Amino acid sequence: MTSFYGFEPASRLFLGTSQYPSPKVLEDAVRAAGVDVVTVSLRREGADGAGQAFFDLIKALDVRVLPNTAGCHGVKEAVTTAHMAREVFGTPWIKLEVIGENDTLCPDVIALVEAARILSEDGFEVFPYCTEDLVIADKLLAAGCEVLMPWGAPIGTARGLNNEYGLRSLRGHFPDVPLVVDAGIGLPSHAARAMELGYDAVLLNSAVAGAGDPVGMAKAMALAVEAGALGRQADPLDPRDMAVPSTPVFGKAML
């Protein structure tokens, strides 16, 4: 299993925790998926104490927490949010999001690299939400990141892998870097395909939380991720242009 900053999760699925119908459904989905890592946004607060109740629920799940800077649109905002997350959750891990465009939630990759550099120098272990751009990936690694998390498609769109060529190129250029497809997954087949491309994990939220049966979908995604990983490891056949008979023709009856 791949190591993420020294931590080797048993599951290749990372699960988000927002937009579930209820805390009970969230808890059941996490347990059904058997995940070791969940992402959490700090933007959960309320005068009725709902924010603290949510944090208590997450801690009770006995999983590794990956706080995120969801909704941040600049370097200063993202860095400040990351420091708050480290204080609240007591972890150096941070999923770094710096949004540059509101309709697609595309990362502001220039600000992302700068924020990653600042946080890495301050002892954070950064998981950057990025595009599949090879140059930006190289700059993020130079800034101190040891993991890359390119999007499959814009957040919440359920479109799957919009640019398989780009994702495949990223895997080929950085064979030893842990890579996680983050965002845009909608179906178990999308998750399996990401693993077939050689990715080390899949991070998703909306596909499970927004499903008619979040618990069932959580289990399906976990199985799909494992199936894709096993398929990749089994060295699958390359596509062929000509048919190849699966039954030998030697020894067949001559008419």
Side-chain angles (χ1 to χ4, degrees):
M1 182 64 71
T2 303
S3 172
F4 298 89
Y5 291 105
F7 176 72
E8 297 185 9
S11 172
R12 302 174 191 272
L13 179 65
F14 298 174
L15 195 61
T17 58
S18 66
Q19 300 181 338
Y20 286 80
S22 71
K24 182 63 165 59
V25 171
L26 165 59
E27 179 181 0
D28 290 346
V30 170
R31 299 197 187 285
V35 297
D36 303 288
V37 177
V38 299
T39 64
V40 176
S41 171
L42 285 186
R43 297 175 183 272
R44 290 178 174 273
E45 52 187 278
D48 60 356
Q52 185 58 54
F54 173 79
F55 292 146
D56 290 341
L57 168 62
I58 294 301
K59 292 176 181 177
L61 290 173
D62 192 28
V63 292
R64 187 73 178 258
V65 174
L66 175 58
N68 66 44
T69 62
C72 292
H73 287 75
V75 173
K76 183 177 181 180
E77 185 182 12
V79 169
T80 299
T81 301
H83 279 88
M84 293 170 59
R86 183 164 65 179
E87 182 176 345
V88 170
F89 290 103
T91 176
W93 278 20
I94 191 72
K95 178 189 171 185
L96 182 60
E97 297 183 28
V98 185
I99 301 303
E101 204 279 323
N102 287 329
D103 288 336
T104 62
L105 300 180
C106 181
D108 180 341
V109 293
I110 297 173
L112 180 68
V113 171
E114 177 62 13
R117 180 190 63 78
I118 293 171
L119 292 172
S120 294
E121 291 177 353
D122 196 29
F124 282 87
E125 296 172 343
V126 180
F127 294 69
Y129 164 63
C130 58
T131 64
E132 64 276 26
D133 185 283
L134 296 176
V135 176
I136 292 300
D138 195 50
K139 291 183 182 296
L140 286 167
L141 295 173
C145 299
E146 297 181 13
V147 177
L148 297 173
M149 300 209 303
W151 62 353
I155 295 171
T157 60
R159 295 182 62 86
L161 308 182
N162 273 353
N163 184 6
E164 281 200 14
Y165 171 80
L167 292 171
R168 190 181 298 111
S169 296
L170 194 67
R171 176 74 285 174
H173 277 73
F174 304 103
D176 300 321
V177 176
L179 298 180
V180 182
V181 168
D182 177 13
I185 299 297
L187 297 171
S189 57
H190 299 157
R193 183 57 182 153
M195 303 305 295
E196 289 170 350
L197 291 178
Y199 278 69
D200 300 293
V202 170
L203 194 163
L204 55 85
N205 187 157
S206 302
V208 169
D213 177 5
V215 177
M217 184 60 77
K219 185 175 182 180
M221 287 295 185
L223 292 172
V225 166
E226 285 305 310
L230 288 171
R232 169 79 176 193
Q233 294 167 7
D235 191 18
L237 285 173
D238 293 327
R240 299 163 173 169
D241 292 327
M242 298 292 291
V244 178
S246 57
T247 301
V249 295
F250 177 77
K252 73 174 184 177
M254 301 297 292
L255 302 178

